[in-house]
Amino acid sequence: MKQLAPILAVVNLILLVHGDERSAVGDPGMKRDGLRVAFEAWNFCNEVGFEAPHMGSPRAADCFDLSSKCIKAYTEDQSNKTTSGSSLVHKVSDSDNELGIGKPKPGIISESALHNPDLYAVEKELYLGSLCQVSDKPNPWSFWMVMLKNGNYDTKSALCPKNGKKIPPFNQPGLFPCFGSGCMNQPTLNHGKTELQRDGQTMKGWFNGTYEQGADFGNGLDGISYYEVVWEKRVGVGGWVFKHKLKTSAKYPWLMLYLRADATKGFSGGYHYDTRGMLKTLPESPNFKVRLTLNVKQGGGAKSQFYLLDIGSCWKNNGKPCDGDVTTDVTRYSEMIINPETPLWCNPKSLHNCPPYHTFRNGTRVHRTDHRSFPYEAYHVYCAPGNAEHLELPVGTCDAYSNPQAQEILQLLPHPVWGEYGYPTRLGDGWVGDPRTWDLDVGGLSSRLFFYQVID
């Protein structure tokens, strides 16, 4: 399950308000020279659990402004010569990024969080967000978020709830990947703080690391997991290009790496704490679009999913907004998978893997039992929230442990029915060798997708 080396660049999310277009992200098109980017790592159920040795809490940030300056120099004849140059003024110190449990930060880290890895990460993220915050209208914003997740789950650890409810340790070998005690560890984090390169025009920075503690990259990457995110831009030209690499290993066969645009305040998809991010306005269906450029360099085989876009939101089964009560909140995901090797799990013989119905753009609704009209090949899989009480059978429920609360997932595949929204229509669209800039009517598509809801 070796995974991909994708390149992402220039992301914008556009709100359509009464016919007027305005950007919902703090840095439209990633064109701002003063970058704001952060890092977070999650265990299987989107918490910390345990920090990696000597790494601090798994939150970090690289935020800076570009400062222009004039440099006076003397020529050989001793006459003055003035040239212009630039420097990066960083907002986050190394000591800020190294904060971890047991390290006090008066006024920032509370007593209740000081020795609690989960709560410490929450408060550290809010602190980093305050250092990186950019004033804007209608709301300030903080940073793009690089998110890394370890899919190992030790069922004997009691670290993860079941559909939001705490459960005791249980033994179920083979249900989830885990090599034994310690399999849910956090990764190492190496940080190359953004710098101006020798040409004086190129800015570049990076994060990388591995889950194999003590691994030496100098000996190569064979047999170990590895992640890398590099960002690069020329001063005053174009947008930031983000280059992602992710490699799994025998011990860590299930890893996820995202570039996220999270809410600037409140809950983000899959996370039940107050967060910081790029979305200065929360988008609502059907009135928002996303523009992004994507160039996938290498795939990871049939077991490796790759999302062109993943939209995560949260509301209760009665339609009310999430309020932090993990026993009733539900994370909802819609994901477009563009790896052409992805199998077709939704089909006439496996209706439990399909949503109950499909709604075409013109409003026509087709039930999944309509074998002539239902577009089975447009869906990889649907799974319902585990706390739903009035499900239409047959149905599969989502994994109950990999979120802090119940979740609902709808995974899409390239198909002609999505073409009206700007999404890929054929297997292989946007994959290796087919770099594209996508203009996606995400709000329009989302408003037609099935999600479970019972109105009181």
Side-chain angles (χ1 to χ4, degrees):
M1 290 175 64
K2 288 186 178 180
Q3 291 188 302
L4 24 129
I7 297 179
L8 295 104
V10 194
V11 178
N12 194 7
L13 191 152
I14 301 168
L15 294 181
L16 306 176
V17 183
H18 303 300
D20 179 34
E21 290 192 0
R22 68 183 74 164
S23 180
V25 295
D27 182 13
M30 290 182 160
K31 294 179 180 179
R32 193 177 189 274
D33 284 333
L35 181 65
R36 302 290 192 269
V37 62
F39 171 88
E40 65 181 356
W42 289 353
N43 66 12
F44 183 69
C45 43
N46 300 357
E47 301 281 8
V48 175
F50 303 97
E51 294 179 359
H54 314 298
M55 290 291 131
S57 181
R59 302 291 187 273
D62 191 327
C63 304
F64 57 88
D65 288 327
L66 185 70
S67 175
S68 297
K69 58 184 179 180
C70 292
I71 303 171
K72 279 194 172 182
Y74 291 96
T75 61
E76 289 184 0
D77 61 3
Q78 299 301 303
S79 60
N80 288 339
K81 182 179 180 181
T82 302
T83 60
S84 61
S86 300
S87 64
L88 305 186
V89 181
H90 281 271
K91 304 288 186 180
V92 182
S93 68
D94 291 342
S95 59
D96 291 326
N97 280 331
E98 292 166 0
L99 286 171
I101 54 169
K103 293 184 178 181
K105 188 77 173 177
I108 303 298
I109 303 298
S110 66
E111 283 295 322
S112 61
L114 187 58
H115 298 285
N116 183 316
D118 295 337
L119 296 181
Y120 199 106
V122 174
E123 296 185 6
K124 182 180 178 181
E125 179 177 334
L126 299 183
Y127 172 58
L128 295 175
S130 71
L131 298 177
C132 299
Q133 182 172 289
V134 177
S135 297
D136 206 341
K137 294 181 179 180
N139 296 298
W141 50 273
S142 298
F143 33 55
W144 301 98
M145 181 64 80
V146 172
M147 188 272 274
L148 181 68
K149 177 168 178 170
N150 175 3
N152 283 353
Y153 178 32
D154 181 1
T155 60
K156 298 179 182 179
S157 69
L159 286 175
C160 295
K162 181 177 182 180
N163 290 320
K165 298 179 180 180
K166 291 188 177 297
I167 57 171
F170 64 98
N171 186 23
Q172 200 160 356
L175 183 62
F176 299 99
C178 180
F179 56 79
S181 179
C183 71
M184 297 178 68
N185 62 292
Q186 295 294 335
T188 63
L189 171 63
N190 306 305
H191 178 199
K193 190 174 287 189
T194 308
E195 295 180 339
L196 272 168
Q197 304 302 294
R198 289 184 178 180
D199 62 6
Q201 293 297 312
T202 303
M203 300 175 287
K204 185 176 181 180
W206 50 268
F207 295 128
N208 72 22
T210 178
Y211 280 92
E212 273 84 4
Q213 308 295 325
D216 183 0
F217 294 162
N219 297 325
L221 300 179
D222 287 348
I224 65 171
S225 60
Y226 180 73
Y227 72 91
E228 176 184 276
V229 179
V230 179
W231 50 90
E232 186 173 337
K233 184 185 182 298
R234 288 184 61 81
V235 174
V237 179
W240 287 92
V241 175
F242 278 72
K243 304 178 182 182
H244 290 213
K245 293 182 181 179
L246 183 64
K247 178 180 176 293
T248 58
S249 66
K251 279 190 169 184
Y252 300 92
W254 195 99
L255 300 176
M256 301 178 76
L257 180 63
Y258 284 91
L259 179 62
R260 294 170 57 121
D262 290 333
T264 57
K265 188 176 182 181
F267 306 126
S268 297
Y271 202 52
H272 60 114
Y273 302 116
D274 194 18
T275 60
R276 294 295 180 264
M278 288 297 294
L279 296 180
K280 58 185 181 181
T281 303
L282 286 180
E284 294 184 11
S285 299
N287 298 316
F288 70 97
K289 295 182 178 180
V290 176
R291 177 175 299 140
L292 63 92
T293 297
L294 176 67
N295 183 2
V296 183
K297 294 292 189 178
Q298 179 182 335
K303 293 183 179 180
S304 172
Q305 293 186 346
F306 185 93
Y307 305 144
L308 172 64
L309 198 67
D310 179 350
I311 300 293
S313 190
C314 189
W315 65 87
K316 298 179 184 292
N317 287 332
N318 61 8
K320 294 181 179 180
C322 290
D323 57 12
D325 180 354
V326 294
T327 63
T328 56
D329 287 352
V330 180
T331 309
R332 324 275 175 165
Y333 297 106
S334 65
E335 303 159 342
M336 170 60 74
I337 301 173
I338 58 172
N339 180 356
E341 297 183 59
T342 304
L344 302 174
W345 287 357
C346 170
N347 58 68
K349 295 183 179 179
S350 300
L351 294 180
H352 65 282
N353 287 329
C354 307
Y357 56 79
H358 172 85
T359 303
F360 291 91
R361 181 138 202 176
N362 64 8
T364 301
R365 181 176 292 182
V366 178
H367 197 267
R368 61 185 173 181
T369 55
D370 186 341
H371 295 175
R372 282 190 168 187
S373 302
F374 189 90
Y376 298 101
E377 294 180 351
Y379 296 94
H380 170 55
V381 71
Y382 166 78
C383 62
N387 61 358
E389 297 177 349
H390 306 284
L391 293 170
E392 179 180 329
L393 301 178
V395 66
T397 54
C398 296
D399 159 41
Y401 308 97
S402 63
N403 253 250
Q405 57 220 21
Q407 59 182 332
E408 181 176 22
I409 302 173
L410 186 58
Q411 293 188 329
L412 314 178
L413 296 173
H415 191 277
V417 296
W418 311 129
E420 293 180 272
Y421 306 97
Y423 279 76
T425 59
R426 299 177 301 174
L427 295 179
D429 283 355
W431 195 237
V432 178
D434 186 27
R436 298 192 186 192
T437 294
W438 297 92
D439 285 285
L440 306 174
D441 184 1
V442 182
L445 174 63
S446 298
S447 66
R448 292 289 188 265
L449 297 178
F450 172 84
F451 286 102
Y452 174 85
Q453 186 170 314
V454 176
I455 304 299
D456 289 342

